[in-house]
Amino acid sequence: NPAGRNAGFRKHVDNPAGDGRRMSAVYYANPGWKREDGAFLCTWPHHSESTREITPEADVLVLFRADDLEHEVTRNVSCATFPHGHRCAFTCWYYDPEELKEHERSEE
């Protein structure tokens, strides 16, 4: 199996504990990614039953609330070898400075 095959993330919220993260940004860099490769970002807007599936295609940027949006990444089922079979995603967060300070004080 290629490295990264079957990798994924279970349903979660990025900031369930008030650690300061407000916005999540995920940028995909996967040229030639096919729908059958899997590794979708699935979201549940407003905690609904219906999901949205976002394919990790190259040059796609996804922004969402880190403290609210439930999401998961389905398994990567690509059989391709590196680099084509790897779901390459760059993730960063915008932090609310006040919430971050409060969270750090509570950790002391």
Side-chain angles (χ1 to χ4, degrees):
N1 282 342
R5 182 160 167 85
N6 293 320
F9 294 98
R10 293 177 191 247
K11 188 175 179 180
H12 67 284
V13 173
D14 284 347
N15 177 12
D19 66 10
R21 291 179 287 176
R22 279 282 175 252
M23 292 294 298
S24 297
V26 181
Y27 177 78
Y28 293 109
N30 302 299
W33 198 266
K34 299 179 204 86
R35 182 161 179 74
E36 59 266 20
D37 293 333
F40 303 113
L41 174 65
C42 295
T43 64
W44 286 265
H46 308 291
H47 307 282
S48 69
E49 293 297 317
S50 62
T51 63
R52 291 192 67 193
E53 283 187 353
I54 300 161
T55 304
E57 297 172 310
D59 206 26
V60 169
L61 175 65
V62 182
L63 302 172
F64 56 90
R65 296 256 330 234
D67 59 344
D68 183 58
L69 188 70
E70 292 182 305
H71 60 283
E72 73 177 356
V73 177
T74 63
R75 291 184 322 115
N76 174 357
V77 294
S78 174
C79 292
T81 57
F82 183 81
H84 303 292
H86 287 261
R87 174 189 161 273
C88 182
F90 299 92
T91 303
C92 63
W93 293 277
Y94 166 75
Y95 282 81
D96 176 286
E98 295 303 315
E99 185 177 293
L100 178 58
K101 284 179 194 174
E102 183 61 34
H103 179 73
E104 288 171 343
R105 279 194 290 268
S106 71
E107 295 278 304
E108 295 176 353

